[in-house]
Amino acid sequence: MMTKIAFVRKKEIPPSAPPITEVGLIGWLRQNLFSSWLNSILTVLSVYFIIIMLWDFIPWAYGGHWNTKSLRECLDLDPDVACFSVLTARWKQLLFGLYPAEEYWRPTLTFIFLLLAIVPILFPKFFRFFWFSIIYPGLAVWLLWGGSFWSISIVYVGLTLGALFFLTVIRRYLKNYMIAAILAFLFTALFFLFISNPLVGLLNVILPISLPFVESLKMGGFTLSLIVGVTGIVASFPIGILLALGRQSNLPVIKMICVGFIEFIRGVPLITLLFVASVLLNYFLPPGTNFDIVLRVVIMVTLFSAAYMAEVIRGGLAGLPLGQHEASASLGLTYWQSQRLIIMPQALKISIPGIVNTFIGLFKDTTLVSIISLRDPVGLASTIRADQKWNGIYWELYVAIGFMFFIFCWGMSQYSQYLERKLKTDK
Amino acid sequence: MEKTKINITDEVAIHISDMNKWFGNFHVLRDINLEVRRGERIVVCGPSGSGKSTLIRCINRLEEHQKGSIIVDGTELTTDLKNIDKIRSEVGMVFQHFNLFPHLTTLENCTLAPMWVRETPEKEATEIAMEMLEKVKIPEQAHKYPGQLSGGQQQRVAIARSLCMKPRIMLFDEVTSALDPEMIKEVLDTMIQLAEEGMTMICVTHEMGFARQVADRVIFMDDGQIVEQNEPEEFFKNPKSDRTKLFLSQILGH
């Protein structure tokens, strides 16, 4: 006998709640920690190892001494716990290096302003305060290095005048961006060559505002890490974008320059570049030029991470379907419009993990400047350990330094995850 | 169904003469001659690899031709970037895979080009965009992202996005090929509506029902050449060339 193949649904089945073992805490535990015998064993083992590690670490750290005069004293009291007294005694040095003690307020204020200046960049709803992010670099340089307020401000004045000149030429006279840019460049150069110095001199006489000068070799500790790290991050990002675009360019010369630069910089260890910055660069520069050592290091670190950044962004660009380029072209957008509005927003979004990876790497690589005898926290750790009182200490110092770096890097990673969630548009 | 022919004018919208294109050594388009008049609706069909997509992509310079000339709205396509951008802003294109901008909402997809290319104020651009979204019957999806829409809805947004530039010519490149059967109709209906309003259109498509209903002319291509062109009635009833007969029997045969 044949079975009937005709079938018609008689009643609709309404949706119902899932079984209790699949939801809530129990469901989560079952799914994530105890989903099979093997997973249950691994869960128990992992918990066991975590407990063992904390078993020793917590009493060591919690019972640590904070107020002894030397390592000897710590060991005499209790050799089994941490001797954080070294931090109590030397924390100012770890934060500010050799910066003059009576001027500590300056790097502190610079740091507070830094936190304020990055808010408009990180969170678009505060974008109306972006002007502060723009004046921040000048403000930071003035606060950290000191000198006349006017000699920093004049840079802003010159650049603003140059930009206005450019816009005026474009609006009023000719609509050729290339020629306008060259004219604006000449205008700005003339301003800095002939007008800015007398003007600064005049302003210094009329209204002298200045801070005591602090030389670059005095910069140290986390102040130095942040100077190099933050400048490197901010500067390497746009350079990386341009290099990535250049590498994809149809113009062979631009492409060759970008590929050559990226491959060369990536192929050379950062330490080598830092040595070049500290020693060799003087051979290439005209005799008598004294190129600031921190600036040289910042440039090298920037170029180094820009090369990595370019490759990360190129990965993002490669991940975009060709259709996006075609669609934006078919709407009549120019190359730069389509890069800015369509391609880059998407390519950068894909590259967020890689970009933040490069940022974090750069920030930690700033510790390499200790090799060329700049006093970043790691360099200072050696200095502190050379002191008779703290000779032989290492755990406490490096744990503290590591912890500080961890806070910054973890912050960057958290922000990137927030950004990825926020930019998610497919659900 | 009667279709309106009153729209076709004598004005030449696109003039292609002796146009040739190669991909490397592969001669993909050979001696293409084609004149499209304003208001004319053309369907281009042919087997895959026949060069039909390449042909319409040459019209807005997504592909560069190597010989012959293409004149769109009186402007010849050369390497001059300004001309190219100008022509592209007058010629709308809809793609097989929609190519919506996934990081922008439906509305932003529609307002972006008018605001940046035409420098339309945001308010006006939004009004135009809503009008176009209404025309393709999805104004309620304006604030959603493309990833949240169905294929058919995405394609209609893509059409609206092109229309926001108030193009004088529309190119459709196999716009229903990537859609589920249930969604093809909603996109075709939009295109039919557009055709009835007198838009100059060139559609690469295999939807022969659509060709019958709206086309003023059907062009059959094979091996990079125009093999046959005719009014749809004649084209389907009395194909002249053997290649056309074979093609039609293949696609209409079941």
Side-chain angles (χ1 to χ4, degrees), chain B residues 93-108:
Chain B
M93 185 161 197
V94 185
F95 301 85
Q96 182 177 4
H97 296 290
F98 330 139
N99 298 348
L100 291 175
F101 307 131
H103 62 302
L104 302 176
T105 63
T106 300
L107 185 64
E108 288 164 342

Side-chain angles (χ1 to χ4, degrees), chain A residues 377-391:
Chain A
V378 172
L380 281 167
S382 321
T383 318
I384 293 170
R385 287 171 54 207
D387 183 340
Q388 217 177 3
K389 282 194 281 185
W390 305 109
N391 200 342

Side-chain angles (χ1 to χ4, degrees), chain B residues 63-173:
Chain B
E63 303 287 355
E64 197 176 324
H65 62 278
Q66 281 95 23
K67 249 176 82 182
S69 75
I70 303 178
I71 299 169
V72 182
D73 268 338
T75 312
E76 182 168 1
L77 275 167
T78 56
T79 49
D80 185 348
L81 286 176
K82 282 224 173 74
N83 269 351
I84 295 174
D85 284 337
K86 181 175 164 287
I87 288 172
R88 281 173 178 170
S89 67
E90 305 284 338
V91 179
M93 185 161 197
V94 185
F95 301 85
Q96 182 177 4
H97 296 290
F98 330 139
N99 298 348
L100 291 175
F101 307 131
H103 62 302
L104 302 176
T105 63
T106 300
L107 185 64
E108 288 164 342
N109 264 281
C110 294
T111 55
L112 182 117
M115 282 168 61
W116 288 91
V117 180
R118 296 244 191 275
E119 293 175 8
T120 314
E122 184 174 359
K123 190 162 163 282
E124 202 187 322
T126 308
E127 276 164 21
I128 299 173
M130 287 312 294
E131 187 189 319
M132 294 308 164
L133 286 173
E134 238 148 87
K135 187 179 213 159
V136 300
K137 301 192 179 64
I138 37 174
E140 70 282 0
Q141 312 286 0
H143 297 285
K144 285 196 184 163
Y145 287 98
Q148 299 165 314
L149 305 182
S150 74
Q153 290 173 326
Q154 290 193 45
Q155 195 58 295
R156 284 184 287 152
V157 173
I159 295 174
R161 177 176 71 178
S162 288
L163 292 179
C164 283
M165 288 294 281
K166 302 269 165 80
R168 291 158 67 83
I169 300 164
M170 285 288 284
L171 307 173
F172 293 87
D173 189 2

Side-chain angles (χ1 to χ4, degrees), chain B:
Chain B
M1 144 129 205
E2 264 310 297
K3 61 187 171 204
T4 46
K5 284 206 177 168
I6 44 168
N7 289 318
I8 305 178
T9 62
D10 288 335
E11 189 189 342
V12 177
I14 302 170
H15 185 93
I16 301 175
S17 59
D18 294 328
M19 192 261 279
N20 281 270
K21 169 162 184 63
W22 289 263
F23 283 133
N25 286 326
F26 178 55
H27 198 171
V28 58
L29 291 177
R30 309 176 197 173
D31 285 342
I32 302 290
N33 286 291
L34 179 66
E35 193 171 271
V36 182
R37 281 174 299 161
R38 171 104 32 241
E40 203 174 4
R41 292 147 297 189
I42 292 179
V43 162
V44 183
C45 61
S48 59
S50 60
K52 52 196 192 305
S53 279
T54 312
L55 170 63
I56 68 167
R57 288 160 60 89
C58 281
I59 294 172
N60 66 353
R61 195 73 166 194
L62 288 182
E63 303 287 355
E64 197 176 324
H65 62 278
Q66 281 95 23
K67 249 176 82 182
S69 75
I70 303 178
I71 299 169
V72 182
D73 268 338
T75 312
E76 182 168 1
L77 275 167
T78 56
T79 49
D80 185 348
L81 286 176
K82 282 224 173 74
N83 269 351
I84 295 174
D85 284 337
K86 181 175 164 287
I87 288 172
R88 281 173 178 170
S89 67
E90 305 284 338
V91 179
M93 185 161 197
V94 185
F95 301 85
Q96 182 177 4
H97 296 290
F98 330 139
N99 298 348
L100 291 175
F101 307 131
H103 62 302
L104 302 176
T105 63
T106 300
L107 185 64
E108 288 164 342
N109 264 281
C110 294
T111 55
L112 182 117
M115 282 168 61
W116 288 91
V117 180
R118 296 244 191 275
E119 293 175 8
T120 314
E122 184 174 359
K123 190 162 163 282
E124 202 187 322
T126 308
E127 276 164 21
I128 299 173
M130 287 312 294
E131 187 189 319
M132 294 308 164
L133 286 173
E134 238 148 87
K135 187 179 213 159
V136 300
K137 301 192 179 64
I138 37 174
E140 70 282 0
Q141 312 286 0
H143 297 285
K144 285 196 184 163
Y145 287 98
Q148 299 165 314
L149 305 182
S150 74
Q153 290 173 326
Q154 290 193 45
Q155 195 58 295
R156 284 184 287 152
V157 173
I159 295 174
R161 177 176 71 178
S162 288
L163 292 179
C164 283
M165 288 294 281
K166 302 269 165 80
R168 291 158 67 83
I169 300 164
M170 285 288 284
L171 307 173
F172 293 87
D173 189 2
E174 304 207 32
V175 293
T176 53
S177 306
L179 294 175
D180 290 340
E182 279 186 316
M183 296 172 178
I184 291 177
K185 187 176 176 302
E186 62 188 50
V187 172
L188 287 181
D189 284 346
T190 311
M191 290 168 69
I192 290 168
Q193 184 191 347
L194 207 57
E196 281 165 359
E197 288 169 12
M199 174 68 78
T200 313
M201 296 166 66
I202 303 183
C203 315
V204 171
T205 182
H206 293 125
E207 298 293 334
M208 291 304 138
F210 172 79
R212 270 206 184 101
Q213 190 177 342
V214 304
D216 299 307
R217 184 168 17 148
V218 179
I219 293 177
F220 174 68
M221 286 183 71
D222 188 35
D223 275 340
Q225 297 155 59
I226 293 178
V227 176
E228 188 167 346
Q229 51 175 317
N230 212 331
E231 293 186 348
E233 206 65 6
E234 274 297 297
F235 179 84
F236 290 111
K237 225 181 268 166
N238 297 314
K240 302 284 182 304
S241 103
D242 291 341
R243 186 64 190 90
T244 317
K245 283 176 194 158
L246 179 66
F247 176 76
L248 288 176
S249 73
Q250 302 278 20
I251 63 165
L252 302 173
H254 59 87

Side-chain angles (χ1 to χ4, degrees), chain A residues 328-347:
Chain A
S328 53
S330 78
L331 287 168
L333 294 169
T334 64
Y335 174 81
W336 288 108
Q337 282 175 339
S338 111
Q339 290 300 336
R340 191 168 111 223
L341 302 165
I342 308 298
I343 307 303
M344 272 304 152
Q346 295 184 62

Side-chain angles (χ1 to χ4, degrees), chain A residues 135-300:
Chain A
I135 59 169
Y136 177 75
L139 190 63
V141 168
W142 181 58
L143 279 174
L144 286 171
W145 275 271
S148 160
F149 175 72
W150 302 114
S151 46
I152 301 284
S153 321
I154 205 75
V155 176
Y156 278 87
V157 172
L159 294 178
T160 314
L161 286 177
L164 286 178
F165 183 86
F166 176 77
L167 288 178
T168 318
V169 170
I170 289 284
R171 291 245 175 84
R172 289 274 169 80
Y173 301 103
L174 76 170
K175 236 182 153 33
N176 186 324
Y177 287 90
M178 190 70 115
I179 294 174
I182 293 170
L183 287 176
F185 179 79
L186 285 177
F187 173 82
T188 318
L190 287 175
F191 177 83
F192 282 118
L193 279 177
F194 299 111
I195 302 174
S196 71
N197 279 344
L199 197 61
V200 168
L202 188 68
L203 285 167
N204 277 336
V205 174
I206 299 171
L207 188 67
I209 306 177
S210 75
L211 287 171
F213 181 68
V214 179
E215 58 169 341
S216 287
L217 285 173
K218 294 263 166 69
M219 309 280 164
F222 276 100
T223 310
L224 181 66
S225 303
L226 281 171
I227 294 173
V228 177
V230 172
T231 322
I233 284 173
V234 171
S236 67
F237 188 50
I239 300 177
I241 291 178
L242 290 180
L243 282 173
L245 288 179
R247 191 167 188 163
Q248 306 233 310
S249 170
N250 293 329
L251 309 170
V253 177
I254 290 184
K255 185 174 179 160
M256 244 160 55
I257 292 174
C258 291
V259 171
F261 177 86
I262 292 169
E263 295 301 338
F264 172 73
I265 297 277
R266 279 202 313 166
V268 177
L270 179 55
I271 295 188
T272 323
L273 292 175
L274 290 176
F275 269 119
V276 170
S278 84
V279 187
L280 277 175
L281 215 57
N282 277 344
Y283 287 108
F284 298 118
L285 294 169
T289 32
N290 194 10
F291 201 175
D292 189 273
I293 179 72
V294 171
L295 182 59
R296 279 187 271 169
V297 165
V298 164
I299 290 175
M300 284 304 178

